[in-house]
Amino acid sequence: MKLLVANRGEIAIRIMRAAAGLNMPTVAVYPEDDAACLHTKKADEKKALKGIGAAAYLNIDQIIQAAKETGCDAIHPGYGFLSENPEFARKCEAAGLTFVGPRVETLEDLGDKAKARALAQRCGVPVLKGSDGPVTLDAAKQFFKSLSKGRGMIIKAVYGGGGRGMRQVFALNKIEEAFNRCQSEAQQAFGNGALYVEELAQKARHIEVQIIGDGAGGVCHFGERECSIQRQHQKVIEIAPSPGISAALRKQLTVDAVKMAKTLNYRSAGTFEFLVETAHKADGDGYYFIEANARLQVEHTVTEEVYGADLAQTQLQIAAGKNLADLGLIQENIPEASGYAIQVRVNMETMGQDGISRPAGGKLLTFEIPSGPGVRVDTLGYSGYQSSPHYDSLLAKCICHSKSAVYATAVNMTYRALCEFKIEGVNTNIPFLEALLQHPDFVADNIYTGFVDDHIEALLETINNNNQKHLYFETAAPVTRTLAGAAVDTNDPLAVLSYGVKSREASLQQSGPASKADTSDAEAEGLFVVKAPIQGTIVSIAGKEGNEVVKGRELLVMSAMKMEHVIPSPVSGIIRRLGVKVGDTVYEGHVLAHVEVSDVEETEVEKGKEADLDYIRPDLAEVNARHAILEDAARPESVAKRRKIGARTARENVADLCDPGTFTEYGGLALAAQRRRRSLDDLIQNTPADGMIAGTGSVNGNLFPEDKARCAIMAYDYMVLAGTQGHQNHRKKDRMIEIAAKQRLPMILFSEGGGGRPGDTDSSGVAGQDIMTFHNFSKLSGLVPLVGINVGRCFAGNAGLLG
């Protein structure tokens, strides 16, 4: 049998290796924008497809024609793309090609989630309260009203999977927006926008059972997997077996999965998925069937490791006519799972401070992966690979198998493997994965599907502390670039910083101080440039060139990370030029539109729309108001005094130093603590940030990667009690020094002012503070670049701290 693999990347390579073990020749397919993907080098032959992006891999007729032209007998669809498409399976059969997967009827029954629910009910398997089929928007609202108070609802694509077309809803007025987004995502991903609704299980685990069937009545299972660690409804870590369910519940789940598979006379590999409410994980109650996936799963690897199986190869053998008895796969012969296996998905993405993951891309300059006993990496990566925004962000799957019965041993093993990855040129989610693996509740197996959302602050703090181990050599060679006639080593932040300062000075000498327009996204006065906040594909555009737009209203919709994201207009005005069209795939920062800023009144229709994106909760409004007090605009008298002596403000210095929009302030709401009793309003107005502006920001980020441009920045605010140093001011400074040391950030200090403040509650005294400050700064000597900027009078205690 000769096999065409109708997929790309790591799963295509996985299938090709399984086929090679059976002496089965393989053919790779690829569109023109994917010719450098690693799977094209792992097959015996390759065949080009017309078109670009996912559309080429979804072209049924073209895939079948490629199989015929290369003399193939069978097609393996992998996962995603056409893997669960009954029309594809039907056309394969009509063309005399073996479809490596379930029968057409099975794909139809399980692809329709309403039919799958009905199957479970016929088999006596519990399901959540939900609709019996596709619903309209009004029907979805009525279903939500029927739920008990406090219960949530989940909207799902009837023919979907992988987190696409899925939203959780907890309020009636949120349903319409969620419904519309799910419908659009489902239509784009699966060609069918039908949706159904289900009651949301409270604090549940996501458990799936792996089965294999031969289509001749034989079905067996390979235990279960724990898939509860998810972000944005997409799995990021999977474990086999689940360390958090009892033997009794494990038996019940596997019995139910096999029962449903036998009812379907299932053929090939598949999974039956359940939710288990954590309050009932120790017995046979409180679990529900949710869906089945009639294909090989991304996470099949962990099952293979603990059972010593090759599921991809078994699929091929069954497609070639073998039955389970021929293969020795009788349930009684399948051993118990050995130890624990954990898979982490290494994605090309970053996580913002809002906890939202955003796809990333670029060229892999360095790509080194972990190895050793029990460590397996399935990947499409190699040094020199240029990623494409047209495809999923998955870069590698790292699977670690420990034969120990202690779950924490596998966790530690996986963490160490992640520390051995050396990836340069592309941002990945490895810091996020490492933070998860270090979280004490993850190690203790206190997990559930909402774990990431509920612990995002702690996870972000771990990421920001940047205390991960790096188990590899730092051997980056200097990269010299000619910048405006100067040779600059772009691996040296201080060299680039120095060049940047010179360039800034030259620019100011030629054009004068930067204007307000210079620091915005405006291309010219009154024209605002709207840029893509994420890498993704344009799904829809709300207006045309010449149309009016209202600030906060939908400008366009982008699809990224398997979800659709509404991009609101940041200003009101008129669309003068669009930089994209529907279907375009763009990187983060791409120009989406130019909007001429002007006053535009909302129409009556627009006023009637729910403006959820504009709504600010009262508590958040109060926080915003307090932050606004920190800005120079809130201190006109103090600013006027600075202007009178020809001086700049500390915030102006920081703003001009950093790339626009990159400065993140630390401890801005700290107030001076003094022995003299003052009102809260007096403290806020007169001692904002306790006289110290501190944080991190990017400096000359256009010259080198983001992680190389980031600096720790501090500036004494001379407008606050003449720039003297208070108690919280002192703590903030020491914290920034600690961050600079841990994260190897260049330290920049605007050192005007900075003397001690008589009367502070710090009993250590001014001299003690200055001595400690000098000691802490000395820790950075020789470790990170230090830049001191002293443009005014300074107390002797702080003079010359940076040499």
Side-chain angles (χ1 to χ4, degrees), residues 8-10 13 37-38 348 378-382 385 394-396:
R8 67 180 299 276
E10 62 85 16
I13 296 169
C37 191
L38 189 59
M348 294 177 284
D378 288 11
T379 182
L380 56 74
Y382 61 89
Y385 173 67
L394 180 64
L395 176 61

Side-chain angles (χ1 to χ4, degrees), residues 582-785:
V582 173
D584 285 352
T585 300
V586 299
Y587 284 107
E588 180 179 350
H590 184 92
V591 175
L592 302 176
H594 294 77
V595 179
E596 181 182 333
V597 181
S598 63
D599 293 331
V600 174
E601 293 186 2
E602 290 183 294
T603 65
E604 292 302 316
V605 173
E606 287 171 330
K607 289 179 180 178
K609 293 181 180 178
E610 292 180 4
D612 295 333
L613 293 174
D614 292 335
Y615 175 73
I616 300 177
R617 302 190 317 268
D619 55 343
L620 181 58
E622 181 180 350
V623 172
N624 290 342
R626 291 194 175 222
H627 278 286
I629 293 172
L630 305 176
E631 301 300 324
D632 290 345
R635 301 185 284 171
E637 293 182 3
S638 297
V639 173
K641 290 179 181 178
R642 299 292 287 169
R643 293 288 184 264
K644 189 174 181 179
I645 61 173
R648 295 165 56 84
T649 71
R651 289 194 177 275
E652 286 175 329
N653 288 336
V654 172
D656 278 355
L657 173 72
C658 296
D659 298 328
T662 65
F663 182 69
T664 301
E665 188 169 359
Y666 170 75
L669 297 181
L671 302 175
Q674 295 191 317
R675 288 198 181 105
R676 181 162 64 88
R677 188 176 297 277
R678 291 185 173 195
S679 69
L680 179 61
D681 287 342
D682 185 39
L683 286 171
I684 292 173
Q685 291 290 346
N686 292 288
T687 62
D690 199 10
M692 164 65 76
I693 299 168
T696 61
S698 171
V699 178
N700 296 320
N702 61 311
L703 302 181
F704 49 98
E706 179 182 348
D707 60 334
K708 302 289 186 183
R710 190 161 166 257
C711 299
I713 301 161
M714 299 190 295
Y716 285 97
D717 190 349
Y718 203 79
M719 297 179 347
V720 177
L721 302 179
T724 51
Q725 180 177 327
H727 186 50
Q728 303 304 329
N729 175 313
H730 175 66
R731 286 180 172 176
K732 288 164 62 175
K733 181 173 60 204
D734 287 349
R735 176 58 175 157
M736 291 309 301
I737 293 171
E738 179 185 357
I739 289 173
K742 284 186 176 180
Q743 301 187 19
R744 299 296 196 271
L745 302 180
M747 169 62 77
I748 302 171
L749 173 68
F750 290 89
S751 55
E752 179 179 12
R757 183 179 302 149
D760 269 333
T761 57
D762 182 6
S763 60
S764 65
V766 175
Q769 286 189 21
D770 286 339
I771 292 171
M772 185 59 68
T773 295
F774 183 83
H775 172 71
N776 286 344
F777 267 120
S778 68
K779 294 179 181 179
L780 300 180
S781 179
L783 187 65
V784 301

Side-chain angles (χ1 to χ4, degrees), residues 538-612:
I538 307 301
V539 174
S540 64
I541 302 173
K544 300 178 180 179
E545 293 179 357
N547 286 175
E548 294 181 341
V549 290
V550 178
K551 180 180 179 180
R553 295 298 185 192
E554 178 183 318
L555 179 62
L556 48 79
V557 176
M558 293 182 67
S559 176
M561 306 294 290
K562 302 182 182 179
M563 298 179 66
E564 291 189 355
H565 306 265
V566 176
I567 311 300
S569 178
V571 295
S572 294
I574 302 170
I575 301 173
R576 288 305 181 196
R577 186 165 70 84
L578 289 170
V580 291
K581 61 181 182 299
V582 173
D584 285 352
T585 300
V586 299
Y587 284 107
E588 180 179 350
H590 184 92
V591 175
L592 302 176
H594 294 77
V595 179
E596 181 182 333
V597 181
S598 63
D599 293 331
V600 174
E601 293 186 2
E602 290 183 294
T603 65
E604 292 302 316
V605 173
E606 287 171 330
K607 289 179 180 178
K609 293 181 180 178
E610 292 180 4
D612 295 333

Side-chain angles (χ1 to χ4, degrees), residues 7-8 28-37 39-40 47-58 62-63 81 390-391:
N7 216 298
R8 67 180 299 276
V29 291
Y30 63 95
E32 59 189 71
D33 66 328
D34 214 18
C37 191
H39 75 279
T40 64
K47 177 70 175 177
L49 301 174
K50 295 179 181 178
I52 61 172
Y57 289 103
L58 290 169
Q62 186 174 204
I63 294 289
F81 292 141
H390 292 116
Y391 303 105

